[in-house]
């Protein structure tokens, strides 16, 4: 089918393949609009979402704006299909919109992106109200927390980390986010207590809490997020602080 062909080209990646995928998605969408003239159909919404993703992957301002247009149209249809708006497809579209606006990069765009991420996360929480089924919500909490760090929303990041811990109390990645938010808010004593308490716990089979924190700090610095307290944690963990010429203010 056209959608399968488009998906195959999209999976290959690269500009030429993505452009071919877009052509097939557009042809499929044209047929679906003829089959369902009212326009409110899940196949049309899915094709619009696929087109949005392909344009998003191409990148560049013009393509991101095209992606946003397709995501918005898809979301509008899905809200009509699912009047309560608590549906996984709606959550996915909201997150897609968040990613597209985030990649545009302007201050207003970043704020809009976070709004979409928040709305998508709210739906995920309603879809997965318990920890047994809540892995996706936990991942979204983590991503949103990091994005808040990048725009200086430290208090909101702390709130998200703690909400995630209410959801999954043994999630040490969320505990790292909680400690980091406290550190960036200059609540150093509270942060250091967490870094000390969990230092030797295993976050995953690959890394201890200490190792994960040190890697996290390096990643945050590379993105322009730094704080004097990070050097204190590194000293606590026995690793020299980043030299001033490598650290970003």
């Amino acid at each position: 089918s056209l959608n399968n062909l488009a998906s195959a080209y999209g999976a290959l990646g690269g500009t030429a393949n993505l452009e071919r995928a877009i052509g097939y998605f557009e042809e499929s969408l044209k047929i679906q609009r003829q089959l369902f003239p009212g326009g409110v159909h899940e196949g049309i919404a899915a094709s619009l979402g696929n087109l949005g993703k392909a344009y998003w992957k191409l990148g560049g301002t013009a393509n991101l704006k095209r992606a946003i247009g397709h995501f918005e149209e898809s979301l509008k249809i899905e809200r009509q299909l699912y009047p309560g708006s608590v549906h996984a497809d709606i959550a996915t579209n909201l997150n897609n919109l968040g990613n597209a606006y985030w990649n545009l990069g302007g201050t207003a765009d970043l704020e809009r992106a976070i709004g979409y991420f928040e709305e998508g996360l709210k739906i995920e929480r309603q879809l997965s109200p318990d920890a047994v089924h809540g892995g996706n919500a936990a991942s979204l909490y983590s991503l949103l927390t990091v994005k808040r760090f990048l725009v200086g929303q430290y208090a909101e990041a702390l709130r998200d980390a703690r909400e995630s811990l209410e959801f999954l109390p043994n999630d040490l990645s969320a505990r790292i986010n909680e400690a980091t938010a406290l550190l960036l808010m200059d609540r150093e004593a509270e942060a250091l207590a967490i870094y000390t308490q969990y230092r030797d716990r295993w976050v995953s089979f690959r890394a201890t809490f200490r190792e994960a924190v040190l890697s996290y700090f390096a990643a945050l610095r590379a993105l322009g997020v730094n704080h004097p307290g990070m050097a204190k944690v590194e000293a606590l963990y026995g690793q020299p602080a980043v030299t001033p010429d490598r650290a970003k203010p």
Side-chain angles (χ1 to χ4, degrees):
S1 73
L2 291 167
N3 277 326
N4 288 337
L5 270 170
S7 296
Y9 276 111
L12 287 173
T15 301
N17 290 321
L18 287 169
E19 288 175 347
R20 292 190 75 173
I22 286 169
Y24 285 121
F25 281 136
E26 287 177 339
E27 190 175 350
S28 174
L29 178 61
K30 182 179 178 180
I31 293 170
Q32 288 173 337
R33 289 195 194 278
Q34 293 172 335
L35 289 171
F36 311 106
V40 181
H41 188 273
E42 60 185 14
I44 293 175
S47 286
L48 287 164
N50 288 332
L51 270 169
K53 289 177 199 172
Y55 277 114
W56 175 69
K57 287 179 182 178
L58 277 176
T61 300
N63 289 320
L64 288 170
K65 288 181 177 179
R66 289 189 189 100
I68 287 168
H70 289 306
F71 289 142
E72 287 175 339
E73 188 178 353
S74 178
L75 180 62
K76 182 179 179 180
I77 293 170
E78 288 172 346
R79 290 197 192 279
Q80 294 176 73
L81 288 169
Y82 314 113
S85 291
V86 181
H87 192 278
D89 289 346
I90 292 177
T92 297
N93 243 327
L94 289 165
N95 285 313
N96 287 338
L97 275 165
N99 285 323
Y101 273 109
W102 187 269
N103 285 4
L104 279 177
T107 301
D109 298 317
L110 298 179
E111 290 173 354
R112 290 190 74 172
I114 285 176
Y116 282 120
F117 289 135
E118 288 174 333
E119 191 177 351
L121 179 55
K122 182 179 178 181
I123 293 172
E124 288 289 350
R125 283 297 307 263
Q126 291 174 278
L127 291 170
S128 308
D130 57 77
V132 175
H133 303 98
N136 195 38
S139 296
L140 291 174
Y141 266 120
S142 182
L143 289 171
L144 179 56
T145 301
V146 173
K147 291 184 185 304
R148 290 197 192 280
F149 288 155
L150 299 181
V151 296
Q153 294 183 357
Y154 304 141
E156 293 86 349
L158 177 62
R159 181 198 65 206
D160 288 341
R162 287 180 168 169
E163 283 185 9
S164 183
L165 285 166
E166 289 176 10
F167 198 51
L168 291 172
N170 296 319
D171 183 0
L172 293 185
S173 294
R175 192 66 71 185
I176 291 173
N177 282 333
E178 178 191 25
T180 304
L182 289 165
L183 197 66
L184 294 172
M185 293 171 69
D186 296 321
R187 293 165 62 175
E188 191 174 290
E190 295 170 78
L192 289 174
I194 294 171
Y195 289 124
T196 301
Q197 179 180 352
Y198 293 95
R199 169 179 174 147
D200 297 317
R201 302 274 189 93
W202 286 95
V203 175
S204 68
F205 70 92
R206 293 179 178 178
T208 63
F209 194 86
R210 171 189 174 277
E211 291 166 336
V213 166
L214 294 175
S215 295
Y216 196 32
F217 283 0
L220 287 175
R221 283 197 182 98
L223 293 169
V225 179
N226 201 3
H227 188 278
M230 292 161 69
K232 293 185 180 181
V233 176
E234 289 168 329
L236 175 70
Y237 283 175
Q239 173 163 313
V242 172
T243 55
D245 61 321
R246 288 175 57 201
K248 296 184 180 181

